[in-house]
DNA sequence: ACCTGAACACCGTTCAAGT
DNA sequence: ACCTGAACACCGTTCAAGT
């Protein structure tokens, strides 16, 4: 049922996920769905959590930077596969089980790496902000890019009053090797460097490696 | 018309912005709206751009870091006032006039500060990702926090399997002085430090300040 | 020509009628 | 008891009937 809803959202967009259309997609009478699911809102909760469930747990025993890099890429990939999930997250009142499990796993990585509790809170908020925000931008670009050719697109906007946008488009974005996604690795490096500074700034006297206890 | 739609979305949520409800809110017969606006999708385009229009242009003649700090705070504030805008952005095919003007202004700040074109592209993508993503998280937290008391909230989730989340909640989030928003300034500093490194890494030999021409 | 009510093809959900 | 069709109160939009 949830899997069918995800397929439908991927194929035809979030608005196409109606009770009736989903029932047709699954080959059952519409009202039958209410025996498996309380209502539409529950379906929306479930498909968001299904996207989080696609992100594998961190591989144990590796450097925290590697673990978070891997997870950030996996999260971005999942959100690229299901761009509607970003919009849906905003209205979810309660995180699902997979979302909670993901949170727990990331917190464990940070705490084990020596982040203090306040540093962990900052680090998680900042890293997630970057990953979600970047994925949101990629989802926006996907909507823009599909219909028309790039030159047409630029011509379509009133760029006479926007010399800097025109410059960027002409000399960079419309250039053969360009890929917006390359900025993800740049931003991830910047963000992880920043997290490292949070980690070390918070425990400058721990050089000796002794355990200070609780 | 657009202002009325924004009011309605702020007050009752995005789903409450229907043609009929909007007409009632404005005190006109429903079909009258179609004389001012092509359809619902145009209204959604317009209210997103109205949010971008609330972000003032950068103050000229200041340091690029100050300008971008100011703008990031203003953008975050606008998205906090209108949390539905984040979800709506994802499905917009074309940026509106205010959005384009904002892009142009930020690009101008970056280019004037000496960022190369590739560095400008990275910088803008990374900064916007952080601001959008952080605002998205704040919108999510707003949904979570309203109904119940914090202790109740924590109790409501199955945190027995989530010791790190429980630890963070108990020893940090539920502590008197805590505010999620404080992480914004931490993340913004990290991000701007990262942009600075992009700026300088890209033009290490320009110390002399001579013009290399085009 | 301009405006707008009725109508159409949807939607999520309730509820009673079937088995 | 379980399942599900008809019905209800919506929705965006079309279109023809009014002025």
């Amino acid at each position: 049922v949830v899997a069918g809803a995800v397929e439908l959202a991927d194929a035809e967009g979030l608005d196409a996920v109606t009770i009736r259309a989903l029932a047709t997609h699954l080959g059952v009478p519409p009202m039958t769905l209410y025996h498996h699911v309380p209502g539409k809102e529950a379906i929306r909760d479930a498909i968001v959590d299904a996207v989080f469930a696609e992100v594998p747990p961190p591989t144990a025993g590796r450097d925290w930077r590697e673990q978070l890099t891997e997870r950030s890429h996996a999260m971005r990939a999942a959100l690229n596969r299901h761009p509607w999930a970003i919009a849906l997250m905003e209205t979810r009142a309660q995180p699902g089980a997979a979302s909670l499990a993901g949170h727990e796993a990331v917190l464990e990585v940070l705490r084990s790496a020596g982040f203090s509790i306040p540093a962990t809170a900052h680090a998680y908020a900042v890293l997630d902000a970057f990953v979600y925000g970047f994925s949101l931008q990629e989802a926006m670009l996907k909507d823009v890019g599909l219909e028309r050719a790039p030159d047409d697109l630029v011509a379509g906007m009133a760029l006479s009053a926007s010399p800097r946008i025109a410059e960027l488009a002409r000399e960079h974005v419309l250039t053969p090797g360009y890929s917006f996604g390359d900025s993800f690795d740049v931003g991830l490096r910047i963000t992880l460097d920043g997290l490292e500074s949070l980690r070390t700034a918070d425990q400058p006297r721990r050089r000796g490696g002794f355990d200070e206890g609780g």
Side-chain angles (χ1 to χ4, degrees), chain A:
Chain A
V1 186
V2 174
V6 170
E7 288 172 26
L8 206 53
D10 290 345
E12 311 194 38
L14 185 61
D15 289 341
V17 182
T18 69
I19 298 283
R20 285 164 158 97
L22 178 55
T24 303
H25 183 72
L26 296 171
V28 300
M31 294 310 113
T32 306
L33 290 183
Y34 281 86
H35 276 275
H36 302 88
V37 145
K40 183 159 190 191
E41 208 56 17
I43 294 177
R44 293 161 82 100
D45 286 341
I47 60 178
V48 168
D49 209 50
V51 174
F52 281 104
E54 289 185 13
V55 180
T59 317
R62 295 173 65 192
D63 181 58
W64 68 270
R65 273 187 84 114
E66 291 174 16
Q67 287 182 303
L68 294 185
T69 298
E70 188 177 71
R71 185 183 168 79
S72 298
H73 277 110
M75 178 70 85
R76 174 199 175 202
L79 293 175
N80 282 348
R81 281 192 297 271
H82 314 293
W84 42 263
I86 300 167
L88 219 40
M89 284 196 296
E90 190 261 305
T91 51
R92 294 312 95 191
Q94 289 290 338
S99 170
L100 272 181
H103 269 68
E104 176 70 20
V106 172
L107 293 179
E108 177 63 32
V109 168
L110 290 168
R111 296 286 286 131
S112 297
F115 282 79
S116 71
I117 289 182
T120 295
H122 288 314
Y124 199 5
V126 172
L127 180 60
D128 258 18
F130 171 70
V131 174
Y132 291 158
F134 196 90
S135 302
L136 173 61
Q137 288 187 89
E138 290 186 297
M140 290 192 272
L141 279 176
K142 190 178 290 186
D143 289 329
V144 173
L146 284 183
E147 296 97 310
R148 61 202 84 198
D151 312 277
D152 227 26
L153 184 86
V154 172
M157 303 197 249
L159 290 191
S160 51
S162 308
R164 291 308 194 181
I165 297 178
E167 175 192 55
L168 188 69
R170 186 176 1 99
E171 298 184 22
H172 191 55
V173 174
L174 298 180
T175 279
Y178 174 79
S179 165
F180 180 79
D182 291 350
S183 292
F184 186 78
D185 294 310
V186 173
L188 187 57
R189 182 179 50 70
I190 285 173
T191 304
L192 291 176
D193 286 350
L195 298 206
E196 172 67 25
S197 77
L198 289 179
R199 189 176 75 94
T200 52
D202 222 44
Q203 45 164 1
R205 296 176 188 82
R206 296 250 185 119
R207 285 280 175 75
F210 58 87
D211 191 348
E212 296 181 9

